[in-house]
Amino acid sequence: MLVGEHLSLERDHHTILDDITLTLNDHEILGIIGPNGAGKSSLLSVFAGLVTPTKGDISLDNIALSKWSRRKLAKTIAFVEQQAEPHERIDVRHAIEIGRTPHKTLLSPWFPEDEEALQDALEKVNMKGFEKRLLNSLSGGEKQRIHIARALAQKPRILILDEPTNHLDIGCQLEILSLVRRLDLSVLIALHDLNHAAMFCDRIALLDHGRLISSGLPEDVLTKQTILTNFRANAEIDKLENGRLHIRYLLPPSLKG
């Protein structure tokens, strides 16, 4: 459905992405992992249509992304940035109302379908009753739920999330990822935690230095060798009863007591 072919991106004569071909399939969660500086955020921005690749093509529903109008694209793809923050004091309701912008003209009124979309988004992120709270009064996990609700108010088919659990405590991280897992959408998500990628993603793509190292099922990508090579960590990998992986990191010999 969302296809990138031979994508490359250069900035200031530096290669950020190098010949990446990747497809987000219908109703799957595709996780993007990789060490710091691997190019995860840049790749998401390209897939969201926010950044034009230096080389390569990206298409949605077999139509080049460049041929989609900005309004139509915003109705189809919603992007939640890493550490998304508003620049002014607004309440939760107004923060989510922003998500209806692609469906409105400058002078169009607030229609019943807009209210339905807003209330549906609040319900999906379990934030009913928070409409009048100021966004900057919420906890980190609550803010992230509202950012996702704003994206859901767009009524997209594709949700792109850039490390949505960054700086959250473990309970909030699991709640956010469980919420995303329950959505009936195609999801492209960058994750820092490899266990989270193993737990919640249908497929995983591993980047390093702007290159696609491997992609496939979690058990095919998250091997002891790829973790050692790309993350410089020794690990043991167990398969749980539900078929998901659990990664146990091992201390280097020099740090063992």
Side-chain angles (χ1 to χ4, degrees):
M1 183 170 62
L2 184 60
V3 181
E5 297 181 292
H6 304 292
L7 299 173
S8 294
L9 180 65
E10 294 184 5
R11 287 178 181 157
D12 300 324
H13 306 292
H14 292 285
T15 299
I16 308 299
L17 301 175
D18 186 6
D19 195 25
I20 293 177
T21 295
L22 196 63
T23 297
L24 174 65
N25 296 314
D26 194 25
H27 290 88
E28 77 164 348
I29 298 180
L30 174 58
I32 308 298
I33 62 172
N36 292 337
K40 300 186 294 294
S41 294
S42 296
L43 182 64
L44 294 193
S45 295
V46 169
F47 269 101
L50 301 176
V51 173
T52 302
T54 308
K55 295 179 182 177
D57 301 297
I58 186 161
S59 63
L60 175 58
D61 297 339
N62 295 315
I63 301 171
L65 218 61
S66 59
K67 295 184 178 180
W68 284 69
S69 70
R70 298 307 305 175
R71 181 180 293 273
K72 187 177 180 182
L73 193 61
K75 292 179 181 179
T76 307
I77 299 176
F79 183 45
V80 179
E81 301 176 79
Q82 188 177 158
Q83 296 179 327
E85 289 289 349
H87 296 293
E88 67 247 54
R89 289 165 57 88
I90 60 174
D91 61 29
V92 164
R93 180 181 177 87
H94 286 97
I96 300 176
E97 284 179 354
I98 293 170
R100 297 301 297 163
T101 302
H103 301 267
K104 314 294 291 179
T105 60
L106 184 61
L107 299 177
S108 63
W110 187 254
F111 289 113
E113 56 262 35
D114 298 313
E115 187 63 27
E116 182 181 351
L118 185 147
Q119 295 299 330
D120 181 60
L122 278 169
E123 185 172 353
K124 283 180 176 176
V125 301
N126 197 26
M127 292 292 284
K128 283 273 194 176
F130 282 73
E131 292 94 320
K132 295 182 179 180
R133 289 277 302 274
L134 289 176
L135 195 59
N136 60 12
S137 74
L138 303 180
S139 69
E142 290 169 340
K143 284 181 183 178
Q144 193 62 283
R145 286 173 180 267
I146 297 305
H147 293 314
I148 293 173
R150 184 267 304 158
L152 295 180
Q154 293 176 225
K155 290 296 181 180
R157 289 189 286 123
I158 299 170
L159 181 62
I160 298 179
L161 301 144
D162 190 1
E163 296 196 16
T165 58
N166 205 17
H167 304 305
L168 300 181
D169 63 50
I170 185 62
C172 288
Q173 291 176 19
L174 295 175
E175 287 177 2
I176 293 293
L177 293 174
S178 296
L179 181 165
V180 170
R181 183 74 199 175
R182 292 193 300 269
L183 297 173
D184 188 26
L185 298 172
S186 301
V187 178
L188 184 64
I189 181 170
L191 290 168
H192 184 72
D193 190 300
L194 301 187
N195 270 311
H196 289 168
M199 290 172 64
F200 292 99
C201 296
D202 300 308
R203 288 191 302 127
I204 294 173
L206 170 63
L207 303 187
D208 197 2
H209 292 94
R211 294 181 296 109
L212 179 63
I213 304 301
S214 62
S215 66
L217 298 174
E219 56 263 37
D220 296 329
V221 175
L222 293 172
T223 66
K224 292 194 289 185
Q225 186 57 52
T226 56
I227 292 173
L228 178 61
T229 301
N230 297 281
F231 296 92
R232 300 190 301 279
N234 290 298
E236 293 292 341
I237 301 174
D238 302 318
K239 201 160 193 176
L240 305 177
E241 291 182 2
N242 63 4
R244 296 286 179 172
L245 304 181
H246 176 67
I247 301 167
R248 293 182 293 113
Y249 298 104
L250 308 177
L251 283 173
S254 60
L255 296 180
K256 292 181 181 179

